[in-house]
Amino acid sequence: MKIAFPTEGDSMNSNLCEHFGRAPKFLILNTENDSHRLIDNTHNTKMPSGAGIKTAEMIANDGVTHVVAKNCGPKAKEVLELSSIKVVLTDAETLEQAKDAVTG
Amino acid sequence: MSSSNDGRIRIAVASGKGGTGKTTVSCNLAKSIDSERVTLVDCDVEEPNVHLFFKEKNGEKLAVTNTIPDIDKSLCKKCSKCSEFCQFGALISIKGDILLNKNLCHSCGGCSIVCPHDAITTKARKIGDIEIRESKNLKLVSGRLAIGSTMSPAVITSVKERSRNDKVVIFDSPPGTSCNAVESMLDADFVLLVTDCSKFGLYDIKLSVDLVRNLEKPFAILINRYGLGDYEIDEYCKQENIDVIMRIPDDIKVARAYSKGILQVDYDEGMKAEFRKAYHKIIDIVSNPIDDSLKDLVNS
């Protein structure tokens, strides 16, 4: 699985961001080899509207299989689901805890 | 503000809080003007209701359309230039496939211009309807946003366009200070702000006053259902040097008549004269603009 987490930090111990479209970055976790990398989202956070959609577009083009978030707007969710990405909502605090929502 | 309008006048009847009586006032005002043929424009396209008070039969119906992109998949080379260009997120590129969200499209036409393969043309999309009902003394223009559409300001622009050449125009604005309300006030020579004596009314009218001052429109306040609540609105108007052009007393008879689609001016000659007086006061203010700073001097 390739899981995308919206965050303001840079590790699995960081907190899950409240937002999806206006999250400053995403941590992409590859569960096969436990590696992760960060992708910047600041260019989308600056948009007056449609930030969620543009962020979803970026995530979808990255080859991600799952998104775990606290919130995700309906338009962004639609884009992700059209790309066969599973969207999981959670109220977990950290990315490590949020990961459990997907891996179970 | 122009000092000479050739007798032409465009009045927007607006409010902060909804339910203060904008439609009641705009309809009564329109019907009280005997000297000219009046055009009444219902700019509350999300919830038009002016037509409920007039017996003028069904009139000319027109569709309001905007344009959305039409992508020819056989010409599309999946370069994503269109989705990169779109400011509104209406076009997105998922692994080269271009997806269009019609409701987010603002019809700028930019995507068809930036496409290097001429794969994008534009097609019309219905966003609303206009109906024009006419009688000897009144022309009623109603706009209605299509279900599922979000482009209210575009429909309001089209509705207003139908009154462009008319002499005396009253716009029934949507409530509040959003894009819809702003669009309905843009072409007005004067804004009549309707409020009541409630705390909500006072809070919201302050937002409206801020808006009309930003738009630099001459304006005045009409207090409807006067007496039901408190008199803080009078204090506020005095402090802010705002003209209160009319106070309509709270009266259950008005509500009973309203529920039957009957206006106050239909049965109360005294009230009809009051509305006519308010109309002439507005004409006077627009024809003889007085500087705000001068107003302070005059009132001190």
Side-chain angles (χ1 to χ4, degrees):
Chain A
M1 288 187 271
K2 273 177 88 184
I3 311 173
F5 301 92
T7 184
E8 285 173 28
D10 48 22
S11 78
M12 289 302 289
N13 293 322
S14 306
N15 283 350
L16 197 59
C17 184
E18 287 297 320
H19 310 288
F20 174 79
R22 295 194 191 274
K25 37 188 144 140
F26 282 79
L27 186 148
I28 315 291
L29 174 73
N30 186 338
T31 57
E32 273 160 47
N33 54 21
D34 231 20
S35 68
H36 64 81
R37 61 186 161 85
L38 292 168
I39 47 177
D40 185 61
N41 194 42
T42 45
H43 54 291
N44 287 327
T45 61
K46 294 193 180 116
M47 288 186 71
S49 67
I53 292 167
K54 283 315 228 184
T55 300
E57 182 189 41
M58 180 183 77
I59 296 291
N61 284 319
D62 197 82
V64 157
T65 60
H66 292 74
V67 163
V68 185
K70 288 204 174 192
N71 295 292
C72 181
K75 294 192 181 99
K77 200 152 180 261
E78 204 186 321
V79 173
L80 295 170
E81 286 171 350
L82 272 170
S83 318
S84 308
I85 293 171
K86 197 147 189 298
V87 180
V88 180
L89 296 180
T90 177
D91 49 23
E93 285 296 309
T94 68
L95 267 49
E96 192 61 56
Q97 291 164 348
K99 178 181 139 195
D100 293 338
V102 182
T103 59
Chain B
M1 294 185 291
S2 54
S3 53
S4 162
N5 283 326
D6 314 318
R8 288 167 62 84
I9 182 109
R10 312 171 81 73
I11 303 169
V13 180
S15 73
K17 169 178 174 275
T20 54
K22 280 181 302 311
T23 303
T24 310
V25 167
S26 57
C27 292
N28 276 300
L29 193 64
K31 267 194 142 178
S32 73
I33 302 166
D34 291 334
S35 49
E36 306 278 356
R37 188 162 186 257
V38 178
T39 300
L40 184 50
V41 184
D42 195 343
C43 294
D44 193 354
V45 301
E46 293 178 8
E47 192 233 333
N49 58 353
V50 172
H51 59 284
L52 299 172
F53 298 96
F54 294 93
K55 289 161 190 60
E56 278 72 26
K57 54 188 195 287
N58 291 335
E60 188 193 353
K61 286 192 173 82
L62 307 146
V64 181
T65 60
N66 70 353
T67 57
I68 54 170
D70 187 8
I71 300 172
D72 186 338
K73 294 221 156 78
S74 65
L75 297 174
C76 175
K77 299 283 183 286
K78 309 194 178 195
C79 68
S80 305
K81 282 210 162 47
C82 56
S83 61
E84 279 161 20
F85 177 85
C86 183
Q87 300 291 300
F88 305 101
L91 285 170
I92 54 167
S93 164
I94 305 289
K95 299 197 161 50
D97 286 321
I98 305 295
L99 299 170
L100 168 68
N101 184 328
K102 292 181 211 159
N103 281 324
L104 294 176
C105 177
H106 283 57
S107 309
C108 72
C111 51
S112 62
I113 294 171
V114 305
C115 177
H117 309 287
D118 290 330
I120 305 180
T121 49
T122 57
K123 61 181 180 184
R125 183 197 183 211
K126 185 168 163 186
I127 53 170
D129 286 292
I130 292 175
E131 188 162 351
I132 303 175
R133 297 168 174 86
E134 305 210 51
S135 74
K136 191 172 69 124
N137 298 319
L138 189 92
K139 174 176 156 185
L140 177 55
V141 185
S142 302
R144 185 184 292 271
L145 182 70
I147 292 172
S149 179
T150 52
M151 299 286 129
S152 312
V155 178
I156 296 171
T157 307
S158 283
V159 175
K160 289 190 304 176
E161 186 56 27
R162 311 311 301 184
S163 70
R164 196 158 50 91
N165 299 320
D166 299 337
K167 195 173 173 205
V168 177
V169 183
I170 297 175
F171 299 113
D172 185 29
S173 296
T177 52
S178 67
C179 296
N180 298 356
V182 173
E183 185 62 48
S184 72
M185 291 180 216
L186 280 180
D187 306 335
D189 302 308
F190 186 92
V191 180
L192 181 59
L193 292 173
V194 181
T195 188
D196 56 24
C197 295
S198 67
K199 295 243 187 288
F200 291 119
L202 178 60
Y203 183 93
D204 289 351
I205 207 68
K206 290 175 183 174
L207 301 174
S208 296
V209 167
D210 200 31
L211 170 63
V212 294
R213 279 178 173 158
N214 264 290
L215 292 174
E216 294 183 349
K217 298 285 180 187
F219 71 98
I221 281 180
L222 183 153
I223 312 173
N224 194 15
R225 307 193 69 191
Y226 193 69
L228 186 70
D230 56 46
Y231 299 100
E232 284 182 44
I233 179 68
D234 282 305
E235 298 241 347
Y236 167 74
C237 291
K238 201 159 152 205
Q239 272 162 26
E240 291 287 317
N241 245 336
I242 298 172
D243 279 327
V244 176
I245 216 154
M246 202 174 162
R247 291 173 177 81
I248 303 176
D250 183 51
D251 185 354
I252 190 108
K253 228 172 43 197
V254 176
R256 285 203 189 104
Y258 182 96
S259 69
K260 297 191 182 115
I262 297 168
L263 299 166
Q264 240 178 326
V265 300
D266 289 335
Y267 64 84
D268 188 340
E269 277 304 320
M271 194 47 81
K272 193 172 185 180
E274 289 294 309
F275 272 104
R276 207 175 296 130
K277 220 164 81 182
Y279 171 67
H280 288 293
K281 245 194 245 177
I282 291 170
I283 300 255
D284 201 41
I285 295 170
V286 172
S287 317
N288 304 298
I290 184 166
D291 209 281
D292 260 337
S293 55
L294 213 62
K295 218 180 181 186
D296 288 333
L297 202 69
V298 168
N299 287 332
S300 65

